[in-house]
Each structure stands twice: as C-alpha cells, then as structure tokens.
Amino acid sequence: MSSTSTLLTLIARLCYQAQDFDQLFTQLTVMSKKHGQLKEAVVRMVDESMTWLPELKEKKDKGEYKNVKDRWLELLNTLRDITEGKVCQLASSLVWS
C-alpha cells in the first residue's frame, strides 16, 4: 500500500509542479476510478492535492486567471467529484477564511 500511495501522490505532484493542470485533473480522476486501487492510496493523493488549494486560491484572488481557466475552481470540482462531495465542506472553509 505504501508504494501505491507514493506513486499516486508523486504523479499528482509532478503534474502540479509542471503546471500541467489538465493532466493533473485527468490523472486525479483516472487514478481514483481504478477499481483495484487501495482506498488509502486515493485518500493520500486527494490530501496532497488539497494542499494546493490555498495557493491556487491566492492566485485566483490576485487575478492570475483572467484569460485562462480558473484552476482553483477546476481542482475543487475535480476533488469534489472524486470524493463525492465530501471535500466541499473542507474547501468552503478556505473560501470564507
């Protein structure tokens, strides 16, 4: 399980560091849908991805998404879909903080 968790978080982290958000959202969705994946590994991948929400929210507030897609909202929607809405409660605290 440890190696699966490491692999999933590494894939997500590499996509984020490369600022390849389309690939990040695709990988998050695909990896969470694998029926053979361990639930704990997907939870760790989602936890890692949630750490990027404050940074993306800050960029959104600075207006860095004027001519491109709102990456904060896209990540939030992707995480919401993966977690069946459970992440929305946590993210809402970011919106109001």
Side-chain angles (χ1 to χ4, degrees):
M1 176 169 65
S2 173
S3 61
T4 304
S5 297
T6 303
L7 181 62
L8 292 183
T9 55
L10 180 63
I11 290 169
R13 191 176 309 129
L14 289 173
C15 291
Y16 181 77
Q17 289 173 348
Q19 298 293 295
D20 189 350
F21 292 104
D22 293 328
Q23 185 66 22
L24 172 63
F25 305 142
T26 300
Q27 290 302 318
L28 288 171
T29 303
V30 168
M31 293 301 170
S32 69
K33 299 294 182 200
K34 296 288 183 183
H35 296 289
Q37 293 292 2
L38 300 171
K39 192 173 187 176
E40 180 66 28
V42 173
V43 168
R44 289 186 185 182
M45 179 183 66
V46 168
D47 287 345
E48 173 84 15
S49 300
M50 286 187 64
T51 64
W52 304 321
L53 284 170
E55 180 183 340
L56 292 174
K57 176 75 166 127
E58 185 177 318
K59 288 181 179 182
K60 175 185 177 175
D61 292 344
K62 289 181 181 178
E64 293 185 26
Y65 299 129
K66 288 185 179 180
N67 297 324
V68 295
K69 297 176 184 176
D70 183 342
R71 298 306 188 173
W72 176 80
L73 187 58
E74 281 188 285
L75 179 57
L76 186 61
N77 286 334
T78 301
L79 293 173
R80 185 197 65 211
D81 292 343
I82 290 170
T83 62
E84 300 171 351
K86 295 173 190 159
V87 77
C88 288
Q89 294 173 342
L90 296 171
S92 66
S93 66
L94 290 172
V95 173
W96 304 114
S97 61

